[in-house]
Amino acid sequence: MKTAILLVTGNSLSLAETLHQEMNDSEIFTLEHFPGCTYISSLSDFIEENFDEYDAFIFICAMGICVRTIAPHVKDKHTDPAVICVDSMGRNAISVLSGHIGQANKITQDVAHILGANPVISTLSDNSGLWALDTLGQEFGWEVLVGMSHAYYKNIELLDDDEEEEYGEDEDENEDEEYDEDEDEDEDEEYDEDDDDEDDEDNDEDEDEDDEEDDEEEYDDDEDDNSLILQMRDGTNYNERTKEFNVIINLFVNKYRTALLLEIRDEGTDYLERTRPQHVDVYYHRNDMDLSQYKLLIIVSPFMFFDPAIANIQYVPRILHVGLGLALDPPEFEELFVNLIVGAPGKNICGQAIKEVATIDVKRDVEVIKELQELVDVRFYTAEELSQVEVPNPSATVQKHMGTPSVCEAAAILSSHHGVLYAEKFKGLSKKSTFAIAIENGYLRQGHIEIVGAGPGNPDLISVRGRQMLEKADLILYAGSLVPRELTFCAKPGATVRNSASMDLEEQFALMKKFYDEDKFIVRLHTGDPCIYGAIQEQMNYFDQHQMSYHITPGISSFQAAAAALKSQFTIPEKVQSIILTRGEGRTPMPEREQLHLLARSQSTMCIFLSAGIAEQVQEELLQEYPETTPVAVCYHLTWKDERIYLGELKDLAKIVKENNLTLTTMIVVGEAIGNREGLSRLYAHEFKHLFRR
């Protein structure tokens, strides 16, 4: 962010220099000559010439000077730069202009942090803990659509306009013919990140021509309901758009009853669910909503929403991948672009949701593709890559001409990383192109399983993401023999919490499948890191066989907790540089090449899991290679309230385990790294030069 730091008096030079050092792409401008600063003769002249040239201005002066200087140039919150004012003593940092869209509020927080100042932010949403609707989309990479459906604001007297034009935006139900593969001469794939579809709401003069005067409704002071009807439209200038935003923001911050429709699931929707205000009700399916009960609708969806009876703001996640096929005689660019925006017949897809277009590489030099690349990202695949993808509508004709049975469907699937094929192959307007649309895995509001690592035991040591997963889960299935129940206490009201200790694998699968088929969110909670002796292999195999969506959230392993508890660095320069994670051979056989005595030859730090019950056998094998005086640590219930750690030598390992009745959840650590303070690193030595210290 290009930032101008404006210094009025030299008394505050140190503040300006501190900010300049910590803020990238910043420059100090002063009314006096100082080394390292740019001299300006007039503050007002500089602002007049450069108000549109910088993303942010930080004034270090009295507030009055700041306000009077910028006042003649303030236009609109959608275009104004961020302005922050810092007093000459550096005690307060004040967000003055463009708090949300211009990010002045965020910059104010950063400036206050750098200077140790008090951040002063006056916007209502920030002070009331409500979402900033005008910047919410930016935080999560969502496109924002305001007033898409000539929405009426009824019974809310927020504006004084006596009359507002009605915006009539017809939702285009473009009747595309279904694509006939036998007619297809060439099928290509292509993706598009349809930023340009902003034109659908901001610059659509043609849409305005559709507004008919007989549709205009005039506010009547004598109406029985004493209501103000504000007919929303996609404005053709910033004033109109600002008005629309302001009405929606007013509805929200004044806590009118609001419906929140979340038709996808991602980081942003998780955040909205966690932080939703009391006046907001959450829905996952539009058919479940009774919009007559609400004044405002907030939508997160890649699918269009059209309802003339409610004010709405829609956030559009870019999660759609379009596969594109072209005939030998391709369509004109204008037609191709219209097809991308309109999408598949009957699918109600929002063009702004397109993340990528993909096609076959032999179409790379086709003129219409070159034009498309100027607007969107286009990905190319070889015929060989495409031919490896199983598709619902393979074509012998496409195989003959392109060397693959599918272009558009295969390309969409590959581009989406083997996501859900939402719209199968369909034909463009002139039948010279074919399209298919896929959605990235994990985004659709459907069943999902999150395998979460609980950490070594202490509830505070679960990852932030892990806890967030627990907080939103509809079902928590936890390994009760290894995971403290306290970790499940953060479950949301109504969530089902089950201990899997007494359940066999089939019972666990049946329970998870039941919730999954109900489109629920499931957390399978394992101890430590689930990928290290977590017994998740068979579970993932089941999920894969049943094409169930799942993801792994890692956790802190007990071997890491052991190092921390022992205050030991398990890798010591010139002493030991490897850590071996292994187990003894109990009921589960060990591969011959991984026998303990063979691994012990390296003299590495060895962390031995699941082996307290066979401590004598472990000791016997290790003594074949390690000296009998090698330090050992037997760690029970690491990070739990009843944690116990026993130190000794390898020759006494079995005795330590037996005398203290140690069984489950015991980690055995062997090696010279335990308690070692020799072999110090040279990383921070004065003579050690590297990228950050030359």
Side-chain angles (χ1 to χ4, degrees):
M1 177 170 283
K2 188 178 180 182
T3 302
I5 303 171
L6 303 170
L7 185 63
V8 175
T9 67
N11 294 333
S12 305
L13 179 60
S14 62
L15 298 177
E17 291 175 336
T18 300
L19 291 174
H20 175 58
Q21 291 172 1
E22 296 293 330
M23 303 181 75
N24 296 327
D25 200 15
S26 65
E27 187 174 358
I28 303 174
F29 298 90
T30 65
L31 297 175
E32 303 176 49
H33 292 279
F34 295 109
C37 303
T38 302
Y39 171 77
I40 58 175
S41 59
S42 167
L43 195 61
S44 58
D45 289 348
F46 176 81
I47 292 297
E48 182 177 3
E49 295 171 4
N50 295 279
F51 196 68
D52 297 327
E53 300 299 319
Y54 287 83
D55 302 304
F57 295 90
I58 301 176
F59 287 77
I60 304 179
C61 62
M63 175 68 85
I65 297 174
C66 170
V67 172
R68 286 191 295 273
T69 304
I70 66 172
H73 312 289
V74 175
K75 300 174 185 175
D76 184 273
K77 70 178 184 179
H78 293 279
T79 59
D80 291 334
V83 178
I84 299 91
C85 184
V86 178
D87 69 84
S88 59
M89 301 300 293
R91 294 171 179 167
N92 297 288
I94 307 166
S95 178
V96 179
L97 184 68
S98 201
H100 289 152
I101 296 176
Q103 301 187 56
N105 291 354
K106 180 182 182 303
I107 298 171
T108 297
Q109 295 282 3
D110 293 341
V111 168
H113 179 73
I114 294 169
L115 299 179
N118 176 46
V120 181
I121 296 172
S122 60
T123 46
L124 179 58
S125 59
D126 294 271
N127 290 318
S128 59
L130 300 173
W131 307 321
L133 297 184
D134 47 358
T135 59
L136 190 61
Q138 296 177 11
E139 296 180 37
F140 304 108
W142 299 333
E143 291 291 321
V144 184
L145 306 180
V146 180
M148 285 289 295
S149 50
H150 65 289
Y152 305 138
Y153 294 78
K154 296 182 178 181
N155 302 316
I156 300 173
E157 300 178 6
L158 295 176
L159 298 179
D160 294 325
D161 304 68
D162 290 333
E163 181 179 342
E164 295 286 346
E165 251 182 49
E166 178 173 357
Y167 177 59
E169 181 179 10
D170 296 328
E171 186 176 16
D172 191 359
E173 300 288 345
N174 200 350
E175 296 291 331
D176 292 331
E177 294 182 18
E178 179 129 3
Y179 180 64
D180 184 353
E181 291 179 349
D182 292 337
E183 294 181 274
D184 186 10
E185 298 179 5
D186 280 356
E187 177 183 352
D188 294 296
E189 69 194 61
E190 169 62 37
Y191 94 97
D192 181 27
E193 181 175 320
D194 211 338
D195 292 334
D196 303 288
D197 291 336
E198 288 280 337
D199 296 338
D200 284 13
E201 73 256 9
D202 292 332
N203 302 307
D204 205 358
E205 287 115 0
D206 293 336
E207 293 277 329
D208 289 339
E209 294 175 5
D210 294 334
D211 297 342
E212 298 183 8
E213 294 183 2
D214 58 355
D215 288 335
E216 294 181 359
E217 295 187 31
E218 198 171 298
Y219 177 64
D220 187 355
D221 290 328
D222 297 329
E223 287 187 357
D224 294 338
D225 63 358
N226 193 31
S227 67
L228 171 66
I229 299 179
L230 175 62
Q231 297 147 344
M232 297 295 290
R233 64 178 172 227
D234 289 339
T236 57
N237 58 61
Y238 279 120
N239 289 333
E240 292 173 349
R241 187 164 176 81
T242 298
K243 180 184 292 185
E244 296 169 1
F245 249 125
N246 287 344
V247 171
I248 288 176
I249 291 171
N250 277 329
L251 288 169
F252 184 67
V253 299
N254 284 291
K255 300 184 179 180
Y256 285 93
R257 196 174 179 193
T258 299
L260 174 64
L261 175 61
L262 305 177
E263 291 192 309
I264 60 104
R265 178 188 287 125
D266 66 3
E267 179 186 2
T269 61
D270 290 347
Y271 168 79
L272 295 182
E273 289 194 83
R274 289 197 312 272
T275 60
R276 72 176 177 90
Q278 291 186 347
H279 69 287
V280 176
D281 297 328
V282 177
Y283 297 92
Y284 306 120
H285 307 285
R286 56 185 68 192
N287 293 336
D288 295 339
M289 300 186 299
D290 180 6
L291 294 180
S292 65
Q293 305 299 311
Y294 299 96
K295 297 299 183 184
L296 175 64
L297 171 63
I298 301 173
I299 311 156
V300 183
S301 175
F303 311 115
M304 296 288 292
F305 186 92
F306 185 85
D307 191 322
I310 187 143
N312 67 81
I313 180 170
Q314 179 168 354
Y315 300 98
V316 184
R318 296 180 181 177
I319 59 175
L320 303 184
H321 295 253
V322 179
L324 171 64
L326 297 177
L328 293 175
D329 179 24
E332 297 293 327
F333 173 76
E334 290 75 12
E335 177 190 324
L336 183 65
F337 194 74
V338 167
N339 275 293
L340 286 174
I341 295 174
V342 172
K347 294 296 187 178
N348 207 28
I349 285 170
C350 186
Q352 284 85 348
I354 298 175
K355 182 177 183 178
E356 194 170 79
V357 178
T359 192
I360 194 165
D361 60 353
V362 298
K363 300 295 183 178
R364 186 187 299 271
D365 295 326
V366 175
E367 187 60 33
V368 70
I369 296 296
K370 291 182 178 180
E371 292 184 63
L372 187 63
Q373 285 182 287
E374 295 179 2
L375 300 175
V376 300
D377 293 330
V378 178
R379 185 184 296 270
F380 299 96
Y381 294 100
T382 65
E384 182 180 1
E385 290 174 313
L386 296 172
S387 65
Q388 302 300 312
V389 181
E390 185 176 344
V391 298
N393 300 292
S395 169
T397 302
V398 177
Q399 176 71 60
K400 175 183 177 182
H401 289 278
M402 308 307 302
T404 173
S406 171
V407 174
C408 67
E409 290 182 336
I413 293 171
L414 285 177
S415 176
S416 66
H417 308 288
H418 293 273
V420 179
L421 191 62
Y422 182 74
E424 297 183 7
K425 182 168 59 178
F426 62 96
K427 188 172 277 190
L429 295 172
S430 67
K431 304 180 182 180
K432 296 180 177 181
S433 56
T434 58
F435 302 84
I437 303 173
I439 301 178
E440 295 180 27
N441 273 324
Y443 285 98
L444 284 178
R445 185 78 44 187
Q446 60 185 15
H448 179 77
I449 300 165
E450 191 74 18
I451 303 172
V452 176
N458 190 320
D460 291 340
L461 290 179
I462 192 170
S463 69
V464 173
R465 175 181 169 85
R467 185 174 179 88
Q468 290 172 351
M469 298 297 102
L470 289 170
E471 290 174 347
K472 75 173 189 175
D474 301 298
L475 167 67
I476 300 175
L477 184 61
Y478 73 102
S481 62
L482 302 170
V483 176
R485 181 173 173 78
E486 288 83 353
L487 278 157
T488 69
F489 289 173
C490 61
K492 67 182 181 181
T496 300
V497 180
R498 292 285 303 276
N499 184 345
S500 67
S502 63
M503 304 168 66
D504 61 27
L505 200 58
E506 286 70 28
E507 291 174 311
Q508 297 174 27
F509 288 157
L511 180 61
M512 289 189 285
K513 188 68 164 56
K514 175 181 180 296
F515 276 78
Y516 188 96
D517 291 342
E518 296 173 355
D519 295 338
K520 302 295 187 177
F521 189 90
I522 302 150
V523 167
R524 182 69 174 108
L525 187 63
H526 284 268
T527 184
D529 183 276
C531 297
I532 302 176
Y533 299 109
I536 64 172
Q537 187 81 353
E538 56 267 41
Q539 298 177 59
M540 293 189 295
N541 183 54
Y542 178 88
F543 303 152
D544 290 337
Q545 289 182 7
H546 291 79
Q547 298 182 327
M548 300 168 74
S549 170
Y550 68 94
H551 179 267
I552 301 172
T553 296
I556 297 174
S557 174
S558 55
F559 87 90
Q560 297 168 291
L566 295 169
K567 298 181 180 178
S568 298
Q569 181 176 308
F570 283 178
T571 55
I572 301 176
E574 303 180 11
K575 295 282 185 184
V576 56
Q577 289 289 277
S578 300
I579 303 170
I580 295 177
L581 309 181
T582 188
R583 60 174 294 170
E585 186 169 42
R587 289 183 294 179
T588 302
M590 292 289 289
E592 184 62 34
R593 63 183 180 278
E594 295 183 24
Q595 297 293 316
L596 281 180
H597 69 276
L598 297 178
L599 298 178
R601 290 176 180 177
S602 68
Q603 301 291 291
S604 302
T605 301
M606 189 173 293
C607 300
I608 305 172
F609 293 73
L610 307 170
S611 300
I614 53 172
E616 291 184 2
Q617 176 185 327
V618 170
Q619 176 180 312
E620 181 181 348
E621 282 205 66
L622 294 178
L623 284 173
Q624 294 181 39
E625 299 294 339
Y626 285 103
E628 64 179 15
T629 57
T630 302
V632 297
V634 184
C635 310
Y636 174 78
H637 271 188
L638 283 162
T639 78
W640 294 43
K641 292 180 180 179
D642 59 345
E643 173 187 280
R644 288 178 284 160
I645 297 177
Y646 304 91
L647 299 175
E649 296 179 339
L650 179 57
K651 61 182 175 62
D652 299 319
L653 171 61
K655 180 181 178 183
I656 294 172
V657 172
K658 183 179 181 180
E659 289 182 350
N660 293 284
N661 298 313
L662 303 178
T663 54
L664 298 175
T665 60
T666 298
M667 165 70 65
I668 299 172
V669 184
V670 182
E672 294 292 338
I674 298 174
N676 199 314
R677 293 295 184 268
E678 299 178 0
L680 304 181
S681 169
R682 302 298 298 165
L683 179 61
Y684 299 106
H686 176 72
E687 70 275 9
F688 191 85
K689 307 299 182 183
H690 52 73
L691 178 63
F692 301 99
R693 188 174 67 245
R694 299 181 184 278

